[in-house]
Amino acid sequence: MPTTTEVVTVQRRRKYHWPEAQLNFWLLIIWVAAGLNLGVFANFMTIQQQMSLGIPWLFPYMVTVSALAIIFLIIFMILIMQRQLLPGIVMVFSFILFVLWLAGLIETAIEFLGPNGGVNGNCNLYVLGQSFSGVSIDTLAYLEQKSICQSWQAAFSFEIVGCVFFIWMIVMAAQVNRDQYE
């Protein structure tokens, strides 16, 4: 008489403990950085088109990278709600976004702080040193130019913040993977 053997496998699901306060703070800052860069560079593309100028590769690149970051954040939040956020996935996508974000930061720094006619130098020379007031076309032009200069400053600043926070997420995910937050 043949005998049958029954194999029973018990699968145990590992739980990862993410630090809630740090995770929420990280999410908030990355949402702000991605949203700001998406809006600023989309606005720059609109301005370039309206003025019939060519669009530098940086503008659509940063719009795309910011949109990818927002998609990552949406997936990230869905996984958090399902309690299935895995540190390995977070590390890989944070690293990919860090590299993409860093490439945008380098080009933004070249355009913003460039030695020959950088945006920041032109803003300091032609815009921020001026002052217009009253109801006139000159005041409106000055306010638009000042807004563009401040948009460059904000985009550059939040690209730096984004790079730092993606590195922070890689480190935090590695610590969660080693159960350092239990």
Side-chain angles (χ1 to χ4, degrees):
M1 172 177 250
T3 62
T4 60
T5 57
E6 187 174 310
V7 177
V8 176
T9 59
V10 178
Q11 190 173 19
R12 213 169 147 215
R13 209 167 155 194
R14 182 172 175 197
K15 297 224 179 211
Y16 295 100
H17 302 283
W18 292 86
E20 287 184 33
Q22 291 178 17
L23 192 62
N24 288 335
F25 181 67
W26 184 87
L27 280 168
L28 173 69
I29 298 302
I30 294 299
W31 273 111
V32 169
L36 182 131
N37 278 309
L38 179 67
V40 164
F41 287 104
N43 184 42
F44 288 165
M45 288 173 57
T46 303
I47 292 169
Q48 293 288 106
Q49 285 178 336
Q50 185 69 30
M51 295 179 69
S52 299
L53 297 171
I55 298 175
W57 70 268
L58 174 65
F59 298 171
Y61 176 82
M62 283 309 297
V63 166
T64 304
V65 170
S66 298
L68 285 173
I70 290 171
I71 291 168
F72 169 69
L73 291 172
I74 291 169
I75 293 169
F76 195 89
M77 293 183 74
I78 290 170
L79 291 173
I80 289 172
M81 288 188 299
Q82 296 175 346
R83 300 204 178 272
Q84 294 181 353
L85 187 63
L86 301 175
I89 293 172
V90 172
M91 282 190 282
V92 168
F93 283 106
S94 293
F95 177 74
I96 291 168
L97 285 170
F98 167 73
V99 170
L100 294 172
W101 210 269
L102 183 62
L105 173 63
I106 291 168
E107 180 61 22
T108 302
I110 291 169
E111 295 295 326
F112 185 64
L113 303 170
N116 298 330
V119 173
N120 193 45
N122 287 336
C123 285
N124 289 334
L125 184 63
Y126 298 114
V127 178
L128 301 178
Q130 306 295 320
S131 180
F132 289 92
S133 61
V135 181
S136 70
I137 194 74
D138 292 333
T139 303
L140 186 61
Y142 165 74
L143 291 173
E144 181 61 28
Q145 290 172 337
K146 184 177 177 185
S147 173
I148 291 170
C149 291
Q150 291 172 336
S151 294
W152 271 99
Q153 293 167 345
F156 181 66
S157 300
F158 272 93
E159 285 180 35
I160 293 171
V161 168
C163 284
V164 170
F165 272 63
F166 282 123
I167 290 172
W168 179 31
M169 179 48 73
I170 293 167
V171 171
M172 187 169 37
Q175 290 173 337
V176 166
N177 193 44
R178 288 179 289 190
D179 292 326
Q180 291 184 351
Y181 286 111
E182 284 191 288

